[in-house]
Amino acid sequence: MVGTGSMEIIDVLSDVNAATLVPAGPLSVSESVRIPSLTSTVSELQPVWEKYLLCDLVNYFNTKYRDELFSILYRNEFLQMLLRDVIDFVVKELQDSAEQFNIGISLEREDPEDPEQRIIFLIVCGKWKFRDFNERLDAMVKVWKYMESRKNEYLKNSPLDRSKIEEAYFLVSVFIGEEGDDCEVFPTR
Amino acid sequence: MTVKSFPPGEFLNLAERMVYLKNILDDEALIRTVMNRCYYAVFLVFREKLGLPENTTHRRVYEEVKRKNIKLAGYLDILWVYRRGADYYLHSPVVLRGWAITHRVSFELDKAERCIDIAQRALSEAI
């Protein structure tokens, strides 16, 4: 496996380089599932995959569980699709509500009361025009509802992939936080 | 004395009473407990409404709620993160991902009040 890994890394890298030449814009489902097959381990490929998977769309991956996050992203293309769709929606829906915002991803676990519990948070941190927290919660509800509609759409189009689709849906949540308040904002990568 | 089931929504009533105590800004344990009780009020009310047994894991309850209503699950997962911070992170309970930032009690109180807002919404919408 190691022997073929380097060639595949180069293939992926050239894909990434090609992708950077294309102006950023909403990604369609077909684009987001264009994943080359890989035989190397996630840790070998991580720097490449970080860039390839979602780094063109988010500002940071802030989690102690990077390897775990990337291995889930790697094996479940519906998770990537869902995150990309939700990011597109967030950008369109919230751009008028903010002076500026950043988007990051974090895998959360570490609950001794339930080691199985984990959530991938899409964290949207910004300076908002919302007057109070309840308005932000209403915005979150909108995003959650959109996420549910995407899940239903995936299930309609790919009924045989139900387990992957449900895994993605159960893992992802969205939190809209305020910069310097309930979010940290890290430098753009 | 009649033995009856404890209504877990009472935990939210307790949190609401605690957050208005005069000395709350001098007592971080109170603030942390408010966050913890808000989560358990919602978690337990949902678990009971779904008819799940007492030993059901957090993850299972979360998934069952999300299967039925993503909005309620969203409230639950934010409260889960705040509760985890309040219970396990001693430097500061309020950072969303458990990473420590400036420790200010007034800031923490604000988050405890948000937990109450979320829990009130969750319970009123679950009825």
Side-chain angles (χ1 to χ4, degrees), chain A residues 60 62-64 105-106 108-114 116-119 121 123 125 133-138 140-141 143-145 147-148 151 166-175 178 180-186, chain B residues 36 39-40 56-60 62-78 80-84 87-89 94-101 104 107 110-111 113-115 117-118 121 125:
Chain A
Y60 51 85
N62 179 32
T63 175
K64 283 196 269 184
I105 295 183
S106 181
E108 297 294 324
R109 43 188 291 201
E110 249 182 53
D111 185 347
E113 289 180 42
D114 186 357
E116 293 301 306
Q117 174 63 314
R118 67 203 59 201
I119 296 174
F121 267 99
I123 300 169
C125 282
F133 180 65
N134 272 306
E135 275 181 283
R136 262 203 281 151
L137 261 183
D138 288 337
M140 285 186 241
V141 170
V143 183
W144 299 336
K145 289 277 183 191
M147 200 164 85
E148 186 180 35
K151 184 257 300 182
E166 290 198 329
E167 182 196 36
Y169 177 68
F170 288 133
L171 270 173
V172 174
S173 193
V174 178
F175 182 83
E178 203 144 82
D181 181 357
D182 44 20
C183 268
E184 298 151 277
V185 176
F186 288 89
Chain B
N36 172 295
Y39 172 76
Y40 278 102
T56 310
T57 62
H58 294 252
R59 181 186 174 87
R60 171 88 199 285
Y62 172 69
E63 287 189 357
E64 289 300 316
V65 174
K66 198 161 187 173
R67 213 182 290 281
K68 293 188 183 324
N69 187 325
I70 191 169
K71 191 159 52 151
L72 298 181
Y75 298 142
L76 188 62
D77 60 38
I78 296 172
W80 174 71
V81 173
Y82 280 133
R83 192 275 300 171
R84 200 184 55 154
D87 284 354
Y88 304 118
Y89 296 103
V94 295
V95 179
L96 183 69
R97 283 155 287 158
W99 292 59
I101 56 167
R104 294 198 318 267
F107 178 68
D110 187 44
K111 294 301 166 296
E113 287 170 344
R114 284 182 189 175
C115 286
D117 282 351
I118 296 170
R121 270 195 185 211
E125 290 174 24

Side-chain angles (χ1 to χ4, degrees), chain A residues 144-160:
Chain A
W144 299 336
K145 289 277 183 191
Y146 175 75
M147 200 164 85
E148 186 180 35
S149 71
R150 294 312 299 153
K151 184 257 300 182
N152 291 333
E153 189 68 20
Y154 301 158
L155 283 173
K156 204 170 80 184
N157 296 334
S158 311
L160 297 178

